[in-house]
Amino acid sequence: MTANELREKFLKFFEEREHKILPSSSLIPENDPTVLFTTAGMHSLIPFLLGEKHPAGSRLCKIQECLRTDDIEKVGDIAHLTFFEMLGNWSLGDYFKKEAIEWSYEFLTAKDWLNLDKDKLAITCFGNDKQFSRDEESAQIWENLGIAKNRIAFLGKKDNWWGPINDAGPCGPDTEIFYWVGESKAPEVFDPQNNNWVEIWNNVFMTYNKTKEGNFELLQQKNVDTGMGLERTLAVINHLPSVFETELFLPLIKQLELISKKKYENYPREFRIIADHLKAAIFLLSEKLEPSNVERGYVLRRLIRRAVRFGRLLEIKEIFSFKMLAPVIEIYGNVYPLIKENKDFIEEQLVKEEEKFSKTLLKGMNILEKIVENQKSFSGKQAFDLYQSYGFPLELIKEIIKEKDIRFDEKEFEEEFKKHQELSRTASSGMFKGGLTTHSEKAIKYHTATHLLHRALRDVLGEEVEQRGSNINEERLRFDYSCSKKPTAEQLKKIEEIVNEKIQENLSVIKKEMSLKEAKELGAIGLFEDKYGERVSVYFIGGEENNLKTAYSKEICGGPHVINTNVLGYFKIIKEEAVSSGVRRIKAILE
Ligand code: GLY
């Protein structure tokens, strides 16, 4: 069966049972900044699960593109993915457990539909917890359909309760359907821990609304929310060993064999991770998301970079991620047209991000290799320095160390990390007279951004620019500076660009104590110089520990500052105006 046949069969089955077909919502939820991505078909249906009337009625179905990163560590096995399609049907206060369960069973096992082997099915139902009782009703419905008692397991909230997707919202107990994919005969007794039992479909009985305070209120209607994994189901129907052998991955795997000149069967984990992550990244890019250091953009960046690193492990030396676009278009071009429409943008972004990351990787890897060459263990402090000085992604440090089988004290790393944050938070010795009013994380970010802005102003308008005042709050930074002429729009744009470039370069922020004389010799910008004592602290942005002279920004300052510019986000000037003769003011925000 092809993916298209499966999509069509599913929709047809529920259409025959009076469901209206909805289009897939976008991967990036519209009008909902509180969640990063669409992780299930029900996102766009939340108001209707809570009781609002849906214009299409009370029975709905659709195929939804989803992105989940909570299981990213598991990608590489036979079933886990970050991007996947979910087939779902919904009852909004219409049918409930009996119909939902019976229909899932019929769709999976009836000859005219998927014709799966009944003897390979197993079921989990919600077991009791302190507040809610065991879902005997669902178990009984399954038994009536012929599922043996010892193929039904009762599990707790962690496994058999779904939602809410955020802190609050609709949720409820669920019953999950597993299929045996092992080569041997399916065991009589179902053991949910055995990985040969793969979950293919989840039926959620959404009956509660979890409030912000953590209480569960009964919803005014009983809903059904289901999700069946397209890739997994396709693999089991076609008796394939994993989702990666389905037509939804094979062209990617083949392309990767060509690029790497290696065989998938010898490196299944690496191939799967690269194929999964780049497919997910391409879908996100198709919605015009760009890699960045915050939130959605950060997830995208992490997906691309992790894929690239696994590519390097396969000894792919050239820039290759963009070459995975053609097979993704081949697989999905007709179903998700945005991939085709935005193909130039996707390609451009992949190349840019891979080039950028290759540089960081090279630098960080050389140093890491040198450190581990003669050591059997890697201290938390060393890991931290690597992170701080090279912006080397944390999770990569951990992964590489694990691969090299080197002892690593993660706790020490965490402590080092905390200590440094503490240090930089409490480091305000009062020398930063510009008016840092609060030490919230946001304000600290604005403080570091102010240093970058100060430097960039001098780059563009000349060294005669001097700080005249600075004020930071949670919402914005304000910077007053001396300048005889109003800067042009182009100049302001240039300044903004420079600051953002520096943020993107993952520059480390290093603090050093030294004499005022030394600070001046290093070219540090000093304000209110007569107020400084003999010893000062200087913040360097972008320098290397042993060559601070080359740092981009050098400024005498009491802190606190962030550890690396990569947490700042996007810098934007929102206002430029005159405050008095020869003094001008910039207001800027970090997004
Ligand atoms: N919303 C049901 C599921 O994702 O499993």
Side-chain angles (χ1 to χ4, degrees):
M1 191 180 294
T2 66
N4 246 344
E5 279 163 1
L6 178 52
R7 290 187 191 104
E8 279 167 15
K9 258 187 196 286
F10 180 85
L11 295 177
K12 181 159 176 274
F13 180 88
F14 284 99
E15 207 177 20
E16 285 179 8
R17 284 151 190 80
E18 291 155 59
H19 288 64
K20 284 274 165 355
I21 302 174
L22 301 178
S24 178
S25 321
S26 57
L27 265 187
I28 299 169
E30 283 163 45
N31 308 322
D32 189 356
T34 64
V35 290
L36 292 183
F37 304 110
T38 298
T39 59
M42 55 76 80
H43 276 227
S44 59
L45 298 172
I46 292 174
F48 311 103
L49 293 162
L50 292 171
E52 209 176 288
K53 288 272 162 289
H54 195 287
S58 58
R59 294 183 179 196
L60 309 169
C61 62
K62 68 169 164 169
I63 291 152
Q64 177 63 52
E65 25 176 344
C66 300
L67 194 121
R68 289 188 190 173
T69 49
D70 12 341
D71 281 335
I72 195 165
E73 307 294 335
K74 290 193 195 146
V75 174
D77 71 3
I78 59 170
H80 285 88
L81 296 171
T82 54
F83 170 86
F84 58 95
E85 284 171 89
M86 198 187 251
L87 311 167
N89 57 289
W90 288 269
S91 153
L92 303 172
D94 192 318
Y95 59 87
F96 203 44
K97 292 185 182 178
K98 186 167 184 314
E99 293 87 336
I101 291 175
E102 286 179 358
W103 284 337
S104 333
Y105 184 76
E106 184 185 352
F107 183 67
L108 289 175
T109 61
K111 263 215 170 56
D112 292 345
W113 301 103
L114 301 193
N115 197 21
L116 287 176
D117 188 349
K118 296 179 176 92
D119 292 334
K120 291 190 177 180
L121 289 180
I123 305 294
T124 58
C125 293
F126 178 68
N128 53 321
D129 72 354
K130 277 196 263 110
Q131 214 176 344
F132 301 100
S133 52
R134 214 166 131 107
D135 187 5
E136 297 288 359
E137 187 187 346
S138 294
Q140 191 57 55
I141 300 169
W142 283 115
E143 274 185 53
N144 293 349
L145 288 167
I147 303 285
K149 250 193 169 60
N150 49 21
R151 282 278 180 82
I152 301 175
F154 287 91
L155 301 177
K157 253 219 178 96
K158 194 173 120 316
D159 296 287
N160 281 81
W161 189 278
W162 207 90
I165 48 169
N166 235 331
D167 299 340
C171 57
D174 68 43
T175 175
E176 300 180 7
I177 307 168
F178 289 72
Y179 198 76
W180 177 255
V181 298
E183 287 184 8
S184 58
K185 197 168 163 293
E188 300 280 310
V189 180
F190 171 40
D191 170 14
Q193 297 302 323
N194 183 333
N195 288 336
N196 281 326
W197 288 108
V198 172
E199 185 205 336
I200 52 171
W201 201 347
N202 184 14
N203 277 242
V204 189
F205 305 116
M206 292 224 158
T207 21
Y208 297 95
N209 179 34
K210 188 175 177 195
T211 65
K212 285 210 171 64
E213 295 72 40
N215 301 321
F216 292 88
E217 293 167 349
L218 256 184
L219 287 172
Q220 51 179 313
Q221 65 191 34
K222 290 178 173 171
N223 307 293
V224 174
D225 157 42
T226 91
M228 168 158 68
L230 175 75
E231 297 78 0
R232 290 181 181 188
T233 309
L234 196 62
V236 301
I237 303 172
N238 293 318
H239 313 290
L240 298 170
S242 85
V243 292
F244 297 95
E245 277 80 16
T246 67
E247 61 173 283
L248 298 173
F249 272 103
L250 225 45
L252 283 158
I253 300 287
K254 293 243 159 71
Q255 175 77 326
L256 206 46
E257 284 191 327
L258 286 179
I259 299 171
S260 67
K261 302 183 189 69
K262 293 201 166 39
K263 285 259 165 269
Y264 164 60
E265 62 202 50
N266 297 331
Y267 303 90
R269 180 162 181 267
E270 288 80 2
F271 269 73
R272 290 168 178 180
I273 291 172
I274 298 168
D276 167 83
H277 288 12
L278 289 177
K279 187 205 273 190
I282 287 167
F283 267 87
L284 288 176
L285 288 165
S286 80
E287 295 194 14
K288 289 273 176 124
L289 181 69
E290 285 183 37
S292 77
N293 287 323
V294 286
E295 297 173 351
R296 291 174 179 147
Y298 178 70
V299 175
L300 172 57
R301 168 161 285 169
R302 204 178 143 196
L303 285 166
I304 299 173
R305 292 185 169 203
R306 197 157 182 264
V308 168
R309 198 180 77 80
F310 277 91
R312 300 291 176 260
L313 289 180
L314 290 180
E315 295 170 321
I316 304 173
K317 303 230 163 48
E318 83 262 20
I319 301 293
F320 75 98
S321 55
F322 72 97
K323 293 185 182 163
M324 301 295 267
L325 178 56
V328 173
I329 293 177
E330 180 190 330
I331 303 168
Y332 293 103
N334 293 332
V335 190
Y336 299 102
L338 280 183
I339 300 175
K340 262 199 281 198
E341 267 165 46
N342 295 326
K343 125 181 181 301
D344 294 344
F345 173 82
I346 299 171
E347 186 169 323
E348 210 173 276
Q349 292 292 326
L350 284 173
V351 170
K352 203 164 104 188
E353 187 60 22
E354 185 171 345
E355 280 176 352
K356 204 185 275 177
F357 180 53
S358 298
K359 279 190 206 137
T360 306
L361 200 56
L362 201 66
K363 209 152 79 174
M365 283 299 264
N366 283 341
I367 290 161
L368 192 85
E369 297 276 348
K370 248 182 241 148
I371 298 176
V372 298
E373 216 165 79
N374 306 314
Q375 289 181 196
K376 288 267 166 298
S377 69
F378 197 67
S379 77
K381 169 96 174 61
Q382 282 173 317
F384 181 78
D385 287 345
L386 203 59
Y387 165 72
Q388 190 197 19
S389 308
Y390 295 94
F392 205 62
L394 255 176
E395 51 274 352
L396 286 192
I397 297 177
K398 283 195 216 158
E399 254 179 46
I400 292 167
I401 291 169
K402 236 194 254 162
E403 267 161 29
K404 304 243 175 213
D405 207 19
I406 282 171
R407 249 185 306 118
F408 171 55
D409 190 343
E410 199 169 326
K411 234 172 94 208
E412 193 198 2
F413 176 88
E414 307 284 343
E415 272 160 22
E416 195 66 35
F417 193 75
K418 270 204 207 107
K419 198 165 79 193
H420 197 283
Q421 276 186 325
E422 274 319 302
L423 268 181
S424 66
R425 253 176 231 155
T426 52
S428 169
S429 59
M431 272 188 261
F432 184 68
K433 294 280 195 272
L436 189 68
T437 52
T438 108
H439 283 181
S440 75
E441 301 228 357
K442 191 78 200 185
I444 294 172
K445 288 180 188 172
Y446 277 124
H447 188 183
T448 307
T450 301
H451 280 214
L452 290 176
L453 169 65
H454 190 180
R455 185 60 251 166
L457 274 165
R458 288 189 176 214
D459 288 353
V460 176
L461 302 176
E463 287 300 327
E464 62 278 10
V465 166
E466 267 178 3
Q467 177 171 338
R468 285 285 180 264
S470 166
N471 175 285
I472 287 163
N473 65 27
E474 300 268 338
E475 271 83 47
R476 52 111 188 98
L477 66 84
R478 196 179 77 200
F479 189 76
D480 294 349
Y481 63 103
S482 57
C483 189
S484 49
K485 275 211 321 255
K486 178 181 166 61
T488 64
E490 287 80 67
Q491 284 173 324
L492 288 174
K493 193 158 167 275
K494 184 81 202 146
I495 291 164
E496 227 179 24
E497 268 169 25
I498 294 176
V499 173
N500 280 313
E501 249 171 59
K502 296 298 161 192
I503 291 174
Q504 298 255 320
E505 282 172 18
N506 292 342
L507 302 179
S508 58
V509 182
I510 300 174
K511 180 189 170 186
K512 281 269 179 266
E513 301 268 350
M514 59 186 73
S515 70
L516 186 57
K517 186 164 163 281
E518 276 176 84
K520 281 188 186 164
E521 276 166 10
L522 281 170
I525 308 175
L527 313 166
F528 326 115
E529 288 196 358
D530 51 352
K531 294 202 178 133
Y532 295 136
E534 176 36 33
R535 300 285 298 172
V536 293
S537 59
V538 182
Y539 275 87
F540 296 87
I541 307 181
E544 281 168 25
E545 198 66 60
N546 51 8
N547 193 7
L548 290 168
K549 217 181 162 88
T550 59
Y552 175 65
S553 152
K554 295 161 264 188
E555 204 166 316
I556 300 175
C557 170
H561 284 279
V562 301
I563 295 166
N564 191 292
T565 58
N566 65 15
V567 298
L568 295 186
Y570 186 77
F571 174 84
K572 198 162 144 191
I573 295 176
I574 51 168
K575 198 163 191 178
E576 202 287 331
E577 61 190 345
V579 267
S580 60
S581 147
V583 179
R584 307 198 57 91
R585 169 172 290 176
I586 280 179
K587 282 187 186 166
I589 54 169
L590 290 169
E591 290 180 331

